[in-house]
Amino acid sequence: MDLAYVCEWEKRPKSTHRPSIPLVCSWSCRNLVAFTTDLKNQDDGDPDASHVIHIMDTEHPWDVYSISSGHAEVISCLEWDQSGSRLLSADGDGHIKCWSMAEHAVNSWESLLSSSVEGDPVVALSWLHNGVKLALHVEMSGSTNFGEKFSRVKFSPSLSLFGGKPMEGWLAVTAGGLVSVSLLKPGGALLTASESLCRLRGRVALADIAFTGGGNIVVAAADGGASSPVQFYKVVVSVVSEKCRIDTELLPSLFLRCTTDPLRRDKYPAVTHLKFLTRENSEQVLLCASNQSGSIVECWSLRKEGLPVNNIFQHRSPVVGEKQPTILKWRILTTTGDLERVSAVALPKLPISISNTDLKVASDTKFCPGLGLALAFHDGTIQILHRLSLHTMGVFYGSAAAPPGQRPGEESAVKRQRTGGAHGLHFKALQFSWTSLALAGVDNHGKLHMLRVSPSMGQVLEMNTTLRHLLFLLEYCMVTGYDWWDVLLHVQPGMVHNLVDKLHEEYMRQNQALQQVLATRIVAVKASLCKLSTATAARACDFHAKLLLIAVSSTLKSLLRPHVLNTPDKSPGERLGEICAKNADSGREDAPPQEPDESLIDECCLLPSQLLVPALDWLPVNDGVMVKLQGKQPVRLRFGKSASSPDPLGRSAGSQRTDNLRCVHMGVCPTEDSKACTRCGCVTMLRSPNKSNAMKQWEQRWIKNCLCGGLWRLVPPTLA
């Protein structure tokens, strides 16, 4: 685990920092990171009136978009939806806002929907589950079938519309013990309701939300005291007579193990972190209890156990088919020893299967993504622990805590004395990427740190095993449609050729229907891989040209396809050929053949010498941070200040700019507003210069996404 880059703000006086404010961070499946800082907004007359949300694309971290959220209190929660295109924010006054992209750009956002529980701080927030769940099977990583590697798990959405379509919405838990649900109706209206978690409402300091396969919601809540029980509630959402209805039920609770240990009974008085291990598993929970200088972490599991029968009934002869009564009980899985004080927790999002066979294969092949959770400590270090055993898998030493002669982030097997506490630099918010190969942390100075997390956690592997791990995760991104930027962090230039070839081999082994679905994605993955090496930059150019040709082909096919086929046994192309042949035959019968004019032939002969076909750059200019990360030294960046990268084809900043979608030149210094793809760098004008219907239909296909499927970001005219 090592530092890839760190991005910081322009230097501000210490008076702008508010260290008592908690920070939050959220990472979307499209590799957008939303986070807050404890910096005052100096542009505002009242420095506490505006609480800012920062959204950045991991490939262009300097191009951060800061939203004056309008929240009157400190922002307590940020949550991306499953598509990575909408963001929820909640504050300490009970207000919740839903943010979406304006003009479908990652650096332009607007809030059109909101809900509130007036005066009641929101402590937990989540989108309702859409019923889509995959399981990643490490055991089947060598299989040729994507369906065996990534299987669909039967999972019901939190709320379904007619026909089984999932209903969109969000759920929040407040400090006053309320659960609030907001549902997005198909027409765009918002349906909101609130209900107490239980009859006797109590203070809720910490909460988390998980989902069950049957469509229910489970809420874990604690009042912050280590001696108090951690309560669990089942929440069922339904719509009755056009009104939202919420039903709650109390589930088995638990007491922390450290409170029953005579040696630690009063050592850790406060519960500081409460998290379900995954959002689709309500039967495993992580708890952290702390004091002023240390913490302890416990992992609990909900198990079904047989209910002991009273002695009076034990001698009764059992009835045929009668089963022993069972009861659900929380049992502790494992616990850590005494740790430094924990400042932040990050849990993996990769849905890796944890069956015994999968865990054994993962251990044998040293495949670690999805198996580790991250703990940040007040001494500036980060530890990654195994999610089941809580043993240490990897350690990151921050710049303040690195021993002499050792790079920041470098792992050492020798136990050393921590030295970071005196400097006070530590992470207040932490988030894993969706493949668990990267970790984003926001420190108490507002800097954002991007860490590489090795697939083997630093264990030495053969090159073929490393390639197989990266290939497995690239295939996962292809199947799910998630962005694969965090996988590219671990690809060295020497791996590119083998990865591209192996990816193509695996793709060709899939059935025809799946190949058709993944046809564009695999070309986009190959193009992004080839950009990482100067030796394969020309191939990247070919792949981008192929993306354009695939798009043109699919557009023409859609225009040629009739609404109703009178002869379903013939394809649209065959039908078009018949029509053309009939028209040609009728033309020959009606009009006698005519010889072409000799002057026209002479003019046509001169055309080749007078026709100029300008050369176009098929490869978009690479202006992202990825090519700067090939070395092992961390890159230091500054928010708002672009960091130019070397172009693999040697093009200078003053070269001709090309609209990659319309295939037209924009000039050396374009004056039109443009947008660029966050993934491949493809640039196109924001406003269409064309008025023909055919071109408008072409441009309409790329309003939301680029040719490669990446998201757009607005680019000033001078940078296009």
Side-chain angles (χ1 to χ4, degrees), residues 351-643:
I352 186 171
S353 170
I354 55 173
S355 67
N356 292 334
T357 310
D358 285 308
L359 288 176
K360 184 179 185 307
V361 174
S363 176
D364 293 342
T365 60
K366 300 176 182 177
F367 182 86
C368 300
L371 293 176
L373 58 92
L375 300 179
F377 298 95
H378 274 265
D379 65 352
T381 63
I382 297 175
Q383 288 188 24
I384 294 186
L385 309 181
H386 195 282
R387 57 187 278 189
L388 299 179
S389 64
L390 294 185
H391 73 261
T392 303
M393 301 172 70
V395 182
F396 169 78
Y397 304 115
S399 57
Q406 183 173 312
R407 283 193 306 107
E410 187 175 327
E411 297 181 19
S412 172
V414 181
K415 189 174 181 181
R416 54 170 186 82
Q417 182 178 1
R418 295 185 175 102
T419 60
H423 299 270
L425 184 70
H426 62 273
F427 294 97
K428 297 177 71 174
L430 210 59
Q431 275 277 306
F432 269 113
S433 68
W434 282 65
T435 62
S436 299
L437 291 185
L439 191 64
V442 184
D443 67 19
N444 54 333
H445 291 171
K447 299 178 185 178
L448 188 135
H449 302 249
M450 185 62 65
L451 307 177
R452 292 188 190 92
V453 182
S454 168
S456 62
M457 286 297 167
Q459 301 176 83
V460 179
L461 295 178
E462 295 180 357
M463 180 57 72
N464 286 338
T465 307
T466 302
L467 289 175
R468 191 163 70 246
H469 289 174
L470 296 176
L471 180 67
F472 190 40
L473 294 171
L474 283 173
E475 292 168 351
Y476 170 73
C477 292
M478 280 175 49
V479 170
T480 57
Y482 296 162
D483 189 76
W484 53 88
W485 178 88
D486 43 338
V487 183
L488 299 182
L489 277 176
H490 302 269
V491 178
Q492 298 300 318
M495 302 178 182
V496 170
H497 183 75
N498 288 335
L499 268 179
V500 171
D501 289 347
K502 289 180 180 294
L503 190 65
H504 182 75
E505 289 175 8
E506 293 297 321
Y507 169 77
M508 295 304 296
R509 291 172 179 169
Q510 310 310 310
N511 60 58
Q512 195 67 31
L514 186 56
Q515 285 188 23
Q516 187 173 357
V517 171
L518 302 179
T520 302
R521 290 181 196 168
I522 188 172
V523 177
V525 173
K526 290 177 181 178
S528 59
L529 285 170
C530 290
K531 277 185 175 182
L532 300 178
S533 171
T534 53
T536 54
R539 292 187 68 185
C541 187
D542 294 338
F543 287 131
H544 277 284
K546 186 175 181 180
L547 278 174
L548 185 63
L549 293 175
I550 291 174
V552 171
S553 173
S554 61
T555 304
L556 292 176
K557 287 178 181 177
S558 65
L559 293 174
L560 291 174
R561 193 180 306 278
H563 295 290
V564 179
L565 287 175
N566 295 325
T567 55
D569 57 324
K570 295 182 179 180
S571 67
E574 292 172 340
R575 291 278 299 155
L576 182 64
E578 288 183 1
I579 295 171
C580 292
K582 289 180 180 177
N583 291 340
D585 292 341
S586 61
R588 294 191 193 100
E589 294 173 0
D590 296 340
Q594 293 182 354
E595 293 294 332
D597 188 8
E598 291 185 2
S599 60
L600 179 61
I601 295 177
D602 293 338
E603 291 178 4
C604 290
C605 292
L606 297 175
L607 277 177
S609 61
Q610 296 180 2
L611 187 64
L612 177 62
V613 180
L616 289 175
D617 283 332
W618 292 106
L619 184 66
V621 175
N622 199 346
D623 62 343
V625 74
M626 183 59 70
V627 286
K628 299 172 72 69
L629 303 178
Q630 296 298 321
K632 286 296 183 182
Q633 291 299 323
V635 177
R636 300 204 168 270
L637 305 168
R638 195 174 292 274
F639 288 119
K641 187 177 180 180
S642 177

Side-chain angles (χ1 to χ4, degrees), residues 210-213 218 232 254 275-286 299-304 328-331 333:
F211 302 91
T212 68
V218 177
F232 295 85
L254 66 85
K275 297 282 186 183
F276 287 106
L277 282 182
T278 63
R279 65 191 297 266
E280 283 104 0
N281 186 357
S282 61
E283 298 178 354
Q284 288 185 338
V285 68
L286 189 81
C299 185
W300 290 74
S301 176
L302 186 65
R303 297 178 180 176
K304 188 179 289 187
L328 292 173
K329 269 192 174 183
W330 285 99
R331 295 293 185 186
L333 281 178

Side-chain angles (χ1 to χ4, degrees), residues 629-703:
L629 303 178
Q630 296 298 321
K632 286 296 183 182
Q633 291 299 323
V635 177
R636 300 204 168 270
L637 305 168
R638 195 174 292 274
F639 288 119
K641 187 177 180 180
S642 177
S644 59
S645 303
D647 188 75
L649 296 184
R651 291 168 294 189
S652 63
S655 59
Q656 181 77 247
R657 302 295 181 180
T658 303
D659 186 321
N660 299 103
L661 278 185
R662 299 180 178 92
C663 296
V664 296
H665 289 299
M666 299 166 60
V668 176
C669 297
T671 57
E672 293 288 331
D673 290 332
S674 304
K675 56 185 180 181
C677 176
T678 58
R679 181 183 287 167
C680 70
C682 175
V683 176
T684 186
M685 287 179 283
L686 188 62
R687 309 297 175 199
S688 173
N690 302 300
K691 296 183 179 180
S692 65
N693 290 330
M695 283 303 298
K696 287 182 179 179
Q697 289 180 8
W698 166 258
E699 292 163 354
Q700 195 69 26
R701 299 172 70 95
W702 318 113
I703 291 293

Side-chain angles (χ1 to χ4, degrees), residues 22-24 76-77 120-125 172-178 197 202-209 218-233 256 268-276 285-290 296 341-345:
L23 303 185
V24 287
S76 56
C77 301
D120 204 351
V122 176
V123 294
L125 182 66
V173 180
T174 68
L178 287 178
L197 281 171
R203 175 178 175 269
V204 176
L206 300 165
D208 198 20
I209 301 166
V218 177
V219 173
D223 64 5
S227 58
S228 302
V230 179
Q231 302 280 5
F232 295 85
Y233 306 91
L256 270 74
Y268 301 106
V271 178
T272 53
H273 298 88
L274 165 62
K275 297 282 186 183
F276 287 106
V285 68
L286 189 81
L287 295 163
C288 177
S290 306
I296 190 170
R341 189 180 177 193
V342 174
S343 59
V345 177

